[in-house]
Amino acid sequence: MKKALLYFALGTVISFLINYFFYNSENLGLDIYYAVAFGFAWGIAYYLDTPNFTLPQKLGLSFVAMGILVLVGILVFNLELAIPSILKFSTVFVAYYLIASFRANKTLRN
């Protein structure tokens, strides 16, 4: 769990710095929201990367996480601004498991 929180924190900070310095969206709250979505994806992907979770559980929990992101995005911003957080989340989630699929033991944890 500690490493998953570390992945979340590092993913959030790195994403925020990239968005803030290179894209300059002029909406600091939105930059933070997208950075949290990015970090949340890395943290959840790492946390679920264990044989203790079945594939349906991994998919279900990732959809719940995306639902939470959309709900928060709608409450703070609007649906139009919340949708890119799902795209960031799902891209990172798929990338994590794509990278893991090239390993013999199908996990990045080892």
Side-chain angles (χ1 to χ4, degrees):
M1 183 64 150
K2 288 180 184 180
K3 273 193 158 178
L5 291 173
L6 180 66
Y7 271 62
F8 166 73
L10 287 175
T12 300
V13 169
I14 291 169
S15 178
F16 175 76
L17 293 174
I18 289 170
N19 285 334
Y20 185 75
F21 289 114
F22 294 112
Y23 294 118
N24 198 8
S25 72
E26 305 205 6
N27 187 342
L28 187 62
L30 194 59
D31 285 343
I32 292 170
Y33 173 66
Y34 290 154
V36 168
F38 189 86
F40 192 46
W42 278 112
I44 292 288
Y46 182 82
Y47 179 72
L48 295 177
D49 187 20
T50 176
N52 298 340
F53 292 103
T54 64
L55 183 59
Q57 289 174 326
K58 290 177 184 182
L59 290 173
L61 290 172
S62 70
F63 282 126
V64 168
M66 285 189 280
I68 292 169
L69 283 173
V70 170
L71 184 62
V72 169
I74 291 171
L75 293 175
V76 176
F77 304 106
N78 60 32
L79 182 60
E80 189 175 291
L81 295 175
I83 296 299
S85 70
I86 297 171
L87 298 174
K88 289 179 186 291
F89 183 94
S90 60
T91 302
V92 168
F93 205 80
V94 168
Y96 184 95
Y97 284 102
L98 179 67
I99 293 167
S101 71
F102 289 112
R103 293 184 51 108
N105 57 4
K106 305 298 183 215
T107 181
L108 293 180
R109 281 194 152 191
N110 297 333

